[in-house]
């Protein structure tokens, strides 16, 4: 993908119908055939970005991390193996990060919109850039960023923590640009309709998320950064940032496409999550899952062969038109709760936990100490079902107490760099030279953080 780090790629150009004309083309028109469009408009690029990132956030990576964190279980063929952590360099891709619909188009949008003075559009593209790059950094650790989408033939790998620092600066710039106004994408924005206030809230919740990504090594300063951001973060479920899907073939939710259309039987509910929800008498058991061919909910152990008895995703969570949450109000509340707990504000932590529980009509709880932080993290594990962020929470806290699958002694902590990038960029190390853990999640647990690993 090195080439894609340097070249602009036009994303999602629509087919254009032949236009009627009453005169022959002049010289300029002959050079700019409207039926052979070579330059994308801002809105065309932006729609392409949204389509790419919706799929990236809710497709293969979301399924993979749902297996690693035992929210789902692979019960057939390669997904059965993936449940046992059998994966290689091609499990993850740089394509959605840097190629068409990724950073290359986001930078083009910023350039095009900046040239016309549309600060609102610039700010929106910057927020999405942070989401894309922050997600990649959480998976791979050190990644190309400062030299990406430049004339540098082989972009260097920037240190993971430096990337997170750069994203904090980028999101601050985005907030300023969003406040400066402009036309923006309007209806081409499939989630927020070009609303500056909603994009601003998303920017602050992303700031909080990325501060939490560094909390294991930066401790109190990361928690304080997160606390400052969440007060301005996503303030209501109506402002959740969700991937938009519908029942039109090819536009369905990727979980539906995978489970119902492409790979029936490959993916089932996990015994861990099913049993957790049963033990808690949690109403989300029937919201998330549908029974198999039995009268009770049964989940599969990791790597267990498929069976019709295993529960599958419900219509509500696995339906063609389910709009998959990516960054949400409930995540904002639970970041607030965790950060407050680890800065000695248990009263605030409990308050935010109960606000999060109230969103699902769950009763309030009265907890303190270890029981409180475990409940905060358990609630987040359940609330963020099918979300990539569950993997980051687990790496930071070792909670819930998951037993590695099969004969493994640990759960994977990062993804390998993709083969095609390693073959075209000599800065990418071979698999044997790559670390087992990223810088924000060092071996042996925490470094500067007062919060020790909560795993057993």
């Amino acid at each position: 993908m090195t080439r894609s780090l340097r070249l602009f790629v036009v994303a999602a150009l629509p087919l254009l119908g032949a236009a009627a004309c009453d005169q022959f083309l002049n010289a300029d028109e002959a050079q700019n055939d409207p039926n052979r469009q070579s330059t994308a408009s801002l809105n065309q690029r932006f729609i392409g970005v949204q389509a790419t990132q919706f799929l990236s956030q809710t497709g293969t990576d979301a399924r993979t991390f749902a297996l690693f964190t035992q929210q789902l279980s692979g019960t057939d063929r390669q997904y059965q193996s993936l449940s046992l952590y059998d994966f290689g360099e091609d499990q993850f891709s740089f394509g959605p990060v840097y190629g068409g619909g990724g950073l290359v188009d986001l930078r083009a949008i910023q350039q095009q919109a900046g040239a016309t003075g549309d600060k609102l559009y610039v700010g929106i593209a910057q927020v999405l850039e942070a989401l894309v790059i922050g997600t990649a950094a959480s998976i791979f650790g050190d990644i190309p960023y400062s030299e990406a989408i430049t004339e540098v033939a082989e972009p260097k790998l920037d240190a993971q923590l430096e990337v997170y620092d750069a994203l904090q600066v980028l999101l601050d710039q985005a907030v300023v640009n969003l406040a400066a106004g402009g036309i923006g994408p309007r209806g081409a924005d499939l989630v927020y309709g070009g609303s500056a206030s909603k994009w601003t809230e998303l920017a602050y919740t992303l700031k909080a998320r990325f501060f939490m990504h560094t909390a294991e090594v930066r401790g109190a300063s990361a928690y304080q950064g997160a606390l400052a951001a969440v007060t301005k973060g996503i303030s209501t479920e109506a402002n959740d940032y969700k991937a938009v899907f519908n029942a039109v073939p090819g536009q369905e939710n990727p979980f539906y496409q995978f489970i119902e259309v492409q790979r029936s039987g490959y993916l089932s509910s996990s015994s861990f999550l099913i049993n957790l929800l049963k033990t808690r008498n949690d109403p989300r058991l029937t919201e998330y899952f549908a029974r198999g061919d039995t009268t009770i909910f049964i989940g599969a152990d990791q790597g267990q062969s498929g069976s019709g008895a295993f529960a599958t995703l419900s219509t509500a969570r696995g339906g063609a038109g389910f709009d998959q949450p990516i960054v949400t109000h409930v995540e904002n509340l639970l970041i607030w709760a965790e950060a407050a707990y680890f800065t000695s504000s248990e009263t605030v932590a409990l308050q935010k936990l109960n606000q999060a529980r109230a969103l699902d009509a769950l009763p309030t709880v009265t907890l303190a100490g270890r029981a409180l932080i475990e409940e905060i993290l358990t609630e987040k594990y359940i609330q963020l079902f099918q979300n990539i962020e569950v993997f980051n929470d687990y790496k930071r806290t070792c909670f819930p107490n998951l037993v590695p699958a099969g004969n493994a002694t640990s759960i994977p902590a990062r993804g390998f760099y993709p083969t095609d990038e390693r073959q075209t960029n000599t800065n990418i190390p071979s698999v044997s030279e790559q670390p087992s853990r990223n810088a924000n999640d060092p071996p042996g647990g925490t470094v500067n953080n007062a919060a020790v690993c909560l795993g057993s």
Side-chain angles (χ1 to χ4, degrees), residues 8-260:
F8 283 146
V9 180
V10 176
L13 286 177
L15 295 176
L16 300 176
C21 59
D22 57 6
Q23 60 183 12
F24 290 111
L25 296 175
N26 60 34
D28 289 339
E29 290 168 335
Q31 296 298 317
N32 296 282
D33 183 350
N35 297 321
R36 296 180 181 272
Q37 192 167 341
S38 60
T39 302
S41 70
L42 278 170
N43 286 352
Q44 287 168 341
R45 285 190 188 275
F46 189 59
I47 289 173
V49 166
Q50 290 172 96
T52 297
Q53 298 311 318
F54 290 169
L55 180 60
S56 178
Q57 290 285 327
T58 66
T60 300
D61 291 354
R63 294 194 297 270
T64 299
F65 293 130
L67 296 178
F68 289 178
T69 58
Q70 298 180 24
Q71 292 193 323
L72 296 171
S73 179
T75 45
D76 194 11
R77 305 189 197 191
Q78 65 263 41
Y79 266 64
Q80 191 174 0
S81 298
L82 190 57
S83 269
L84 300 174
Y85 320 134
D86 181 8
F87 68 99
E89 291 180 276
D90 294 325
Q91 184 62 37
F92 303 96
S93 174
F94 270 14
V97 181
Y98 301 104
L103 187 60
V104 66
D105 279 317
L106 286 165
R107 290 284 176 82
I109 289 170
Q110 292 171 52
Q111 183 180 34
Q112 287 178 258
T116 64
D118 193 342
K119 298 291 188 180
L120 173 59
Y121 224 139
V122 172
I124 289 172
Q126 289 173 321
V127 175
L128 279 180
E129 177 177 327
L131 173 63
V132 171
I133 297 300
T135 302
S138 76
I139 295 171
F140 302 107
D142 300 349
I143 57 171
Y145 189 46
S146 63
E147 293 181 348
I149 319 303
T150 70
E151 294 304 314
V152 176
E154 297 185 20
K156 68 178 182 179
L157 297 178
D158 294 319
Q160 183 194 41
L161 294 175
E162 293 177 1
V163 173
Y164 281 128
D165 290 341
L167 296 181
Q168 294 292 349
V169 173
L170 178 67
L171 286 166
D172 287 339
Q173 294 172 346
V175 169
V176 172
N177 283 322
L178 290 167
I183 297 173
R186 297 183 178 176
D189 178 355
L190 303 178
V191 184
Y192 287 155
S195 168
S197 62
K198 292 180 180 180
W199 280 101
T200 299
E201 288 190 358
L202 174 59
Y204 278 110
T205 298
L206 284 175
K207 284 178 67 67
R209 175 188 281 190
F210 296 148
F211 276 124
M212 296 302 284
H213 283 195
T214 69
E216 191 175 345
V217 294
R218 290 179 170 172
S221 65
Y223 290 129
Q224 292 293 350
L227 286 172
V230 289
T231 61
K232 300 177 183 178
I234 298 176
S235 60
T236 173
E237 288 181 298
N239 292 354
D240 287 352
Y241 188 75
K242 297 181 178 182
V244 178
F245 301 109
N246 59 58
V248 175
Q251 297 179 22
E252 309 104 326
N253 183 296
F255 278 92
Y256 172 85
Q257 291 190 43
F258 187 83
I259 294 172
E260 299 297 334

